[in-house]
Amino acid sequence: MTEHTDTEDPTIIGDGSAGREIYAYVYDHFGGQALTHDETSDYGMVTDVQGWRWIRDFMQRLLAMDNLESAVNMRVAREREQFSRECTCGRSDDDVLPPVLFPPRICWIWLEAAYERLGDAEGLCRLYSYRIVTNGLGAEVKTSEQAARIGAYHIGKLRELSGDDWGGYVSQIVDLQQRYHSDPMFYGRNYAYEALLKQERMSDEAWKYCEARCLDRRDEEVIRDLFDVMVRGRVEEACELLLEPLHDADSEVLQGDTEKNIDRICSTLRLVAETAGPHSMRMEADRLRRMYRNRQALRDALERLLNEYGDETAANTDGTERTCPRSAGRAG
């Protein structure tokens, strides 16, 4: 990517949102007298090109954003230190450590605005990659829908700016997420990363992401959301992950013959049928009918499900199984 000298006036890139936010921040905090007389753009009203270069260099050092892995590593170190300080095990009530300080959001906006003003596409690509890896979408994001939308926006901007380097950035994001940001003990769902997995249809990476979130505590929602991606190349492993609660008699979904549990069992089997094929669903449904012969509500629901997909067997009222002539001999 092209480097600009101090005498050049670089072309502004990006949508200008960071520049406008910085202009509003300066105006609100310091008043109009703090701004320059250049009214050609929001960027010029804050400072000149040389000033933006100084801001970029300073913020890159502050945030370690001259190298993507260093920036991710620094954030992870802060998060783990904060977790350690919040854990009071083995400490007295008087032994309270101060919280770990994270760079405020405005620092990141200053850096983004500097990248935009200076036409630094490589810097913006690092910044968007960082946000995808760390789920750094901002404290104002309160819902999963907002997170998914903003994550998709960052992915779109990265794809647009990276051009032929897109594949390299994707590989780096996957590598850093798996090495630094995949432990569910410290991190919740990463909707930006999930959006990338869906867009790029990365089945192996999606399976690893879901598997990591089920090692200590199962995350049913993320498995279902990424199941279509996983089965593209990991059919057996994806089905095993999805069906795990149905293979554990002590799981919550098998604890009682309630309407909620039955609906969940049937929705799981339906998902298997629609993605991995009806034959796999029939095998699981038949296994459950044999295991839980006294749960009539469950057996009736499973029979309806089998009929929906043209089952090969159906249960008689006495608990035995019969072959359906209309589907006898048909492959799953």
Side-chain angles (χ1 to χ4, degrees):
M1 298 183 182
T2 303
E3 291 290 337
H4 298 284
T5 66
D6 289 346
T7 59
E8 290 180 331
D9 185 9
T11 302
I12 298 172
I13 60 176
D15 58 11
S17 58
R20 289 188 293 273
E21 186 168 347
I22 287 300
Y23 171 79
Y25 175 84
V26 173
Y27 189 89
D28 291 343
H29 287 76
F30 303 104
Q33 66 273 17
L35 303 175
T36 71
H37 295 292
D38 180 4
E39 299 184 2
T40 58
S41 70
D42 295 332
Y43 304 96
M45 294 175 71
V46 175
T47 186
D48 58 17
V49 172
Q50 185 58 39
W52 281 113
R53 289 195 176 102
W54 183 90
I55 291 170
R56 178 190 59 183
D57 295 344
F58 174 76
M59 288 300 174
Q60 277 194 160
R61 289 195 299 270
L62 178 67
L63 303 172
M65 274 302 296
D66 54 338
N67 180 275
L68 179 57
E69 182 167 0
S70 297
V72 172
N73 197 11
M74 178 182 290
R75 180 186 177 98
V76 169
R78 285 194 178 103
E79 289 171 334
R80 290 177 182 269
E81 179 65 19
Q82 183 182 42
F83 180 84
S84 176
R85 294 190 182 194
E86 289 175 351
C87 179
T88 58
C89 300
R91 295 204 304 262
S92 65
D93 294 339
D94 296 331
D95 187 18
V96 179
L97 299 175
V100 176
L101 296 179
F102 288 80
R105 177 179 177 274
I106 195 62
C107 292
W108 297 97
I109 304 303
W110 273 109
L111 180 60
E112 184 176 3
Y115 284 149
E116 289 181 347
R117 177 61 189 92
L118 299 174
D120 191 341
E122 186 174 348
L124 280 175
C125 286
R126 282 199 307 273
L127 181 58
Y128 292 136
S129 298
Y130 173 86
R131 288 172 174 168
I132 295 168
V133 172
T134 64
N135 206 30
L137 307 181
E140 71 280 1
V141 178
K142 303 297 183 182
T143 67
S144 59
E145 290 77 11
Q146 287 178 316
R149 184 173 62 253
I150 295 176
Y153 167 80
H154 290 150
I155 294 169
K157 297 303 293 184
L158 176 60
R159 186 191 296 271
E160 175 186 342
L161 289 170
S162 61
D164 294 339
D165 296 327
W166 166 251
Y169 280 108
V170 171
S171 297
Q172 188 177 24
I173 289 169
V174 170
D175 175 62
L176 293 176
Q177 194 279 333
Q178 291 179 350
R179 286 197 290 124
Y180 290 103
H181 221 263
S182 63
D183 190 343
M185 180 178 180
F186 296 97
Y187 313 111
R189 290 186 63 174
N190 186 334
Y191 290 96
Y193 184 67
E194 291 176 23
L196 181 66
L197 295 176
K198 292 176 182 178
Q199 288 188 23
E200 294 300 298
R201 301 179 177 182
M202 294 185 284
S203 60
D204 285 355
E205 292 76 7
W207 176 74
K208 291 177 182 177
Y209 176 84
C210 291
E211 185 186 39
R213 274 151 182 75
C214 294
L215 293 178
D216 298 312
R217 182 178 180 181
R218 181 177 175 83
D219 192 335
E220 184 75 26
E221 186 176 353
V222 72
I223 295 174
R224 289 175 177 270
D225 284 353
L226 291 175
F227 189 70
D228 287 351
V229 181
M230 288 190 286
V231 295
R232 291 181 178 274
R234 289 271 193 167
V235 178
E236 184 177 346
E237 295 90 340
C239 288
E240 182 179 348
L241 202 58
L242 180 69
L243 294 170
E244 189 176 273
L246 304 188
H247 296 164
D248 180 4
D250 295 325
S251 66
E252 181 182 349
V253 73
L254 292 177
Q255 285 300 300
D257 206 20
T258 65
E259 182 178 354
K260 179 180 178 181
N261 286 348
I262 292 173
D263 288 344
R264 182 177 165 190
I265 291 171
C266 289
S267 68
T268 298
L269 295 178
R270 186 173 284 106
L271 187 56
V272 170
E274 293 173 355
T275 54
H279 179 67
S280 298
M281 179 275 293
R282 292 188 191 109
M283 292 177 60
E284 289 297 326
D286 287 338
R287 183 183 62 81
L288 289 171
R289 289 196 302 176
R290 291 193 301 271
M291 287 182 62
Y292 299 100
R293 295 180 180 276
N294 295 325
R295 295 189 179 182
Q296 192 59 47
L298 174 61
R299 290 173 59 81
D300 291 343
L302 292 174
E303 183 175 356
R304 289 193 297 270
L305 182 64
L306 289 168
N307 289 332
E308 179 181 340
Y309 286 91
D311 73 283
E312 297 174 356
T313 58
N316 285 320
T317 55
D318 61 0
T320 62
E321 293 184 345
R322 56 182 170 83
T323 300
C324 295
R326 61 181 173 80
S327 58
R330 185 172 61 179

